[in-house]
Amino acid sequence: MTHQEIRDRARSIIGDKCKVCPDCNGLACRGQVPGVGGKGLGNSFVRNRAMVLERKLHLDTLVPAEEIDTSLHLFGKAFKYPIFAAPIGALELNYHPSLNDLTYNERIVQGCVDAGIMAFTGDGAKMEYYEGPLKIIKAHEGLGIPTIKPWDNETVIKKIRMAEDHGVTALSMDVDAAGLILLAMAGTPVYTKPVTELKEITDSTDLPLILKGIMTPAGALKAYEAGAAGIVVSNHGGRVMDDALSTIEMLPEIAEAVGGRMTIFIDGGFRSGEDVLKALALGADGVLIGRPFAVAAYGGGAEGVRQYAEKIGQELKEAMIMTGCHTLKDATGKCW
Ligand SMILES: Cc1cc2nc3c(=O)[nH]c(=O)nc-3n(C[C@H](O)[C@H](O)[C@H](O)COP(=O)(O)O)c2cc1C
């Protein structure tokens, strides 16, 4: 299966919702939620992508020709690339019923493990959306990070116990899901969380907790105060607020506030290895990619996911050569 064949196959399956555009930039799917777009006019999704494209790398090849090391060591594990699949939920509704939250995550977790990286999995109104992926992570030596919605603390801590029982590598919570009215309508409300409540959550477990959906230095400092091990600079791919700033715009300030003290991930509009290097240059430790992984899973299953991850990883390696980087740390500052 070539990359093009995977994309063509995906388009034939999910084409009603996702056009599998040459550049996944939020234009063709503006406002399509449910669907794959951004909320409202889709401005946040479009801005995420546009601002990643606006950043430019420093070309510099006048360095010794040493081995290029793309690996990242995190939470006691080694990963081939600093790339992660972002959690994607409600597949049947947003993409196509040929995959559900269980079968999608089977493909994503397996494909990522095969590529030497790791996936974040999701959560939802039904327990099976959370529990199914946990079983898959367990079957892959705990290589996966479940993302728990910001339910009431009792429910969150119950779900953390389940994750511990399944041997996961770390935990995540998409705190930016707090405004998702659909969950409240389904009888499973989500909430905003003050530091005191977050602290109760981090105190309840020895697993590292990553707060996904941090968009300000003040928010990052609160996450740190609450005992989180990491954050994802994210606006949920533009699906929770129409006029948010883009994630890459906020990254340098956030890295200035908490860099070196917490692991900083970012997502929103990253589509190539060069894009990944831009994020590393501006202060991120790792990059999550969302929608393109879903295209790979629909079009090529676990093998499509593996191939896509490897493609982005190879592009990252090439970008490192072109910017004079030998390790990921060398990327610091190499982006306008
Ligand atoms: C259809 C769809 C469903 C998503 N579901 C979830 C989810 O259940 N939990 C979550 O934390 N993020 C969810 N996200 C957000 C992604 O994890 C991620 O933040 C975003 O897609 C990254 O942007 P990108 O798609 O531009 O790479 C979803 C995104 C999409 C497009």
Side-chain angles (χ1 to χ4, degrees), residues 141-297:
E141 296 171 15
L143 281 169
I145 301 183
T147 306
I148 302 172
K149 293 256 173 270
W151 316 113
D152 61 88
N153 267 20
E154 197 185 327
T155 308
V156 170
I157 290 169
K158 200 170 95 192
K159 289 196 163 182
I160 288 177
R161 290 289 91 80
M162 290 169 64
E164 288 168 345
D165 290 345
H166 287 77
V168 306
T169 298
L171 296 161
S172 162
M173 186 178 349
D174 52 334
V175 290
D176 58 359
L180 290 180
I181 307 299
L182 278 177
L183 289 172
M185 284 163 65
T188 51
V190 278
Y191 303 96
T192 56
K193 298 247 172 234
V195 170
T196 45
E197 274 186 45
L198 289 171
K199 199 152 180 2
E200 189 192 351
I201 293 170
T202 57
D203 283 347
S204 76
T205 180
D206 289 335
L207 283 171
L209 178 73
I210 300 158
L211 296 184
K212 177 172 180 283
I214 300 296
M215 281 295 287
T216 62
L221 287 168
K222 283 191 217 176
Y224 180 71
E225 198 189 328
I231 54 171
V232 187
V233 179
S234 175
N235 55 24
H236 220 96
R239 292 172 68 81
V240 291
M241 202 161 86
D242 198 2
D243 272 316
L245 279 168
S246 73
T247 55
I248 201 162
E249 283 172 294
M250 294 312 301
L251 176 61
E253 282 175 57
I254 292 176
E256 174 89 32
V258 297
R261 294 194 279 171
M262 310 177 82
T263 303
I264 303 177
F265 301 90
I266 186 168
D267 71 17
F270 294 88
R271 303 290 178 252
S272 70
E274 290 194 10
D275 293 344
V276 172
L277 193 62
K278 291 176 192 177
L280 303 183
L282 295 170
D285 299 294
V287 176
L288 277 60
I289 298 178
R291 295 167 177 94
F293 266 113
V295 168

